[in-house]
Amino acid sequence: MTVEREGLEDFRLNVRSWLTQNVPHRWRARMTGASADEFTAFQREWMGKVVSAGLATPHWSAQWPGGGRSLDEQIVIVEEMARADAPRLLLYFVALYHAAMTLMEWGTEEQKARHLPAILNGEIWCQGFSEPNAGSDLASLTTRAVRDGDHYVIDGQKIWSTLGQHADYCLLLVRTDASVPKQAGITFLLMDMKSPGVECRPIRQITGDEEFAEIFLSGVRVPVANRLGEENAGWRIAQTTLNSERGLTIFELSERLSWSRWRLIEAMGGNTGGSIVDDQLRREMVDVFTKIEALSALVKEMMKRLVAGEDTGSSASIVKLLYAQVLREYTALGVRGASTSHLRTPFTLGAGHETGNWWFDYMNSFMWTIAGGSNEIQRNIVSERMLGMPRERAA
């Protein structure tokens, strides 16, 4: 074992020890049937602990607390978080990944100084990209921004904003020029969710959860100083945000899925040794577990290529497609072994997509065929950017 490898193993043991001492006792039971206020308070408390330990921001640059970690160290943290079944920072994942990565690449020094420390102190962010008629075809967005002196005046509507009802700030895409090709007339703004004219309504899903919200914007004034990059350059900047969602976010989710295989074995009536009587079920489980292993390996390889500058980001679309497929197959198997009594079981807020409440998890899995860019759009990206196939004809 090399010295570097020994150091990595020591780091792993330190992370594991901290998690053993700090993961909240029976947190899943506490969050099952919890109110929105209880969930928010719990997430804020856990966020403070993880930030203080330097485990929330290993992907940030070295100048920030906990930042500057190597990719191997980042992998260790994600693996150990999953192994310990630590709560996901669901309320903060847009802030820690989407907002932070976009700000670090495109933000001014003033914007970084304002928002990055605030994120570490618990500032919550949401994403205002999709619209009722601009989801898969995001570039068709119509939310309008008109320049008025040193402000933009915003009118329009956003939808499917994850936990937007709790957010302090929003990553907002707006149309500032309707006379140019649709990707060319989009601007990227940072919007204070407390601004006059902002109305945020939670969306109750088929699961009973309110993980998403729609945002209505009427005469909202956003300072020009809150613009990222140049006017009409928002489409390019948005790719940084979307690649973060399809890459860093799936990185965490794939490890959570990998460490939750025991839940499926248990649901099928087996034990930790994997003793399942039904041959057909056993074959299907092995197939799903093999895909989970392949997903984990593919994500880690993608991350290494991105860090080395050998990937344009298109492989994130393959990873996202595979995760959506595997999650659906995993939860569908769980449903086959679940009791119908689970239909009356309260869901667990912040538990991720593999809670063991199989009916909830299965219905929730459909979200990933759309979130982060629909599967159809991801297939177009793979075919056009990676395989060099002709572009799809416009409707």
Side-chain angles (χ1 to χ4, degrees):
M1 181 183 289
T2 65
V3 173
E4 181 180 356
R5 203 68 206 168
E6 288 175 351
L8 191 62
E9 289 307 308
D10 287 342
F11 178 68
R12 181 184 295 277
L13 291 175
N14 288 335
V15 173
R16 186 175 299 178
S17 174
W18 185 88
L19 288 167
T20 300
Q21 297 173 42
N22 289 278
V23 170
H25 181 58
R26 298 186 71 247
W27 71 268
R28 283 181 179 269
R30 288 169 55 191
M31 288 297 102
T32 300
S35 68
D37 288 343
E38 289 169 334
F39 168 68
T40 302
F42 175 76
Q43 285 274 304
R44 288 189 185 280
E45 179 184 359
W46 180 237
M47 171 71 167
K49 287 185 177 181
V50 179
V51 168
S52 296
L55 299 179
T57 52
H59 56 293
W60 288 26
S61 55
Q63 70 191 86
W64 298 101
R69 291 289 186 184
S70 69
L71 180 59
D72 286 339
E73 288 172 320
Q74 292 181 47
I75 290 173
V76 164
I77 292 172
V78 172
E79 287 177 339
E80 292 302 317
M81 285 280 189
R83 180 182 182 276
D85 192 30
R88 283 192 65 210
L89 286 170
L90 187 61
L91 199 58
Y92 295 96
F93 87 94
V94 172
L96 290 168
Y97 293 102
H98 306 58
M101 296 299 95
T102 309
L103 281 163
M104 285 182 188
E105 182 166 348
W106 298 98
T108 64
E109 292 307 313
E110 292 78 10
Q111 289 168 343
K112 294 176 188 177
R114 161 62 184 86
H115 291 294
L116 293 175
I119 289 172
L120 295 178
N121 288 325
E123 186 173 79
I124 300 169
W125 285 70
C126 67
Q127 192 167 300
F129 280 24
S130 296
E131 297 180 7
N133 294 310
S136 297
D137 185 12
L138 179 60
S140 295
L141 65 90
T142 59
T143 294
R144 190 174 64 151
V146 177
R147 182 76 176 262
D148 180 23
D150 58 357
H151 283 74
Y152 289 101
V153 180
I154 317 296
D155 290 282
Q157 179 185 354
K158 298 294 180 176
I159 199 165
W160 307 124
S161 178
T162 302
L163 297 171
Q165 65 269 35
H166 301 289
D168 301 302
Y169 267 83
C170 177
L171 300 169
L172 185 68
L173 290 184
V174 296
R175 184 159 304 285
T176 41
D177 191 343
S179 66
V180 295
K182 56 187 179 181
Q183 285 93 345
I186 294 172
T187 296
F188 201 123
L189 301 176
L190 312 175
M191 182 181 72
D192 186 341
M193 290 291 286
K194 306 295 190 299
S195 302
V198 176
E199 181 184 358
C200 194
R201 302 177 191 168
I203 300 172
R204 183 167 290 272
Q205 298 151 242
I206 191 173
T207 58
D209 197 1
E210 294 181 343
E211 189 176 345
F212 303 100
E214 53 186 340
I215 304 171
F216 297 88
L217 307 166
S218 179
V220 180
R221 297 182 68 83
V222 176
V224 173
N226 283 18
R227 186 183 68 208
L228 278 186
E230 296 299 317
E231 188 168 289
N232 298 327
W235 184 253
R236 181 183 174 198
I237 299 169
Q239 303 316 302
T240 299
T241 314
L242 293 171
N243 284 335
S244 173
E245 182 169 18
R246 296 167 191 158
L248 290 169
T249 304
I250 298 295
F251 178 32
E252 177 190 354
L253 292 176
S254 69
E255 287 305 308
R256 296 278 178 168
L257 189 58
S258 182
W259 281 95
S260 68
R261 285 173 288 185
W262 67 270
R263 298 185 190 280
L264 188 54
I265 295 172
E266 186 178 74
M268 295 294 105
N271 53 43
T272 53
S275 179
I276 305 295
V277 176
D278 188 293
D279 288 342
Q280 179 62 28
L281 274 180
R282 190 161 57 241
R283 281 192 292 269
E284 290 183 45
M285 286 180 62
V286 169
D287 182 54
V288 169
F289 289 170
T290 301
K291 290 177 181 177
I292 290 174
E293 286 295 318
L295 172 65
S296 179
L298 187 64
V299 173
K300 290 171 184 175
E301 178 62 24
M302 178 197 71
M303 296 300 295
K304 290 177 182 177
R305 291 175 61 83
L306 284 171
V307 168
E310 299 172 354
D311 196 307
T312 60
S314 299
S315 59
S317 295
I318 295 177
V319 166
K320 191 268 180 184
L321 278 167
L322 182 57
Y323 176 74
Q325 174 189 340
V326 174
L327 182 65
R328 176 79 57 81
E329 294 178 7
Y330 168 88
T331 55
L333 267 180
V335 166
R336 286 167 59 182
S339 165
T340 54
S341 64
H342 276 124
L343 287 170
R344 298 185 296 274
T345 303
F347 52 83
T348 306
L349 285 168
H353 304 293
E354 49 284 330
T355 69
N357 183 335
W358 293 103
W359 293 96
F360 173 88
D361 291 341
Y362 178 63
M363 290 187 289
N364 210 23
S365 72
F366 284 77
M367 175 188 75
W368 274 101
T369 63
I370 302 171
S374 71
N375 284 2
E376 292 78 10
I377 293 297
Q378 302 315 308
R379 293 187 183 103
N380 281 352
I381 291 172
V382 171
S383 66
E384 295 168 8
R385 299 183 190 176
M386 299 188 74
L387 302 180
M389 298 174 69
R391 291 184 63 84
E392 182 181 30
R393 290 183 180 180

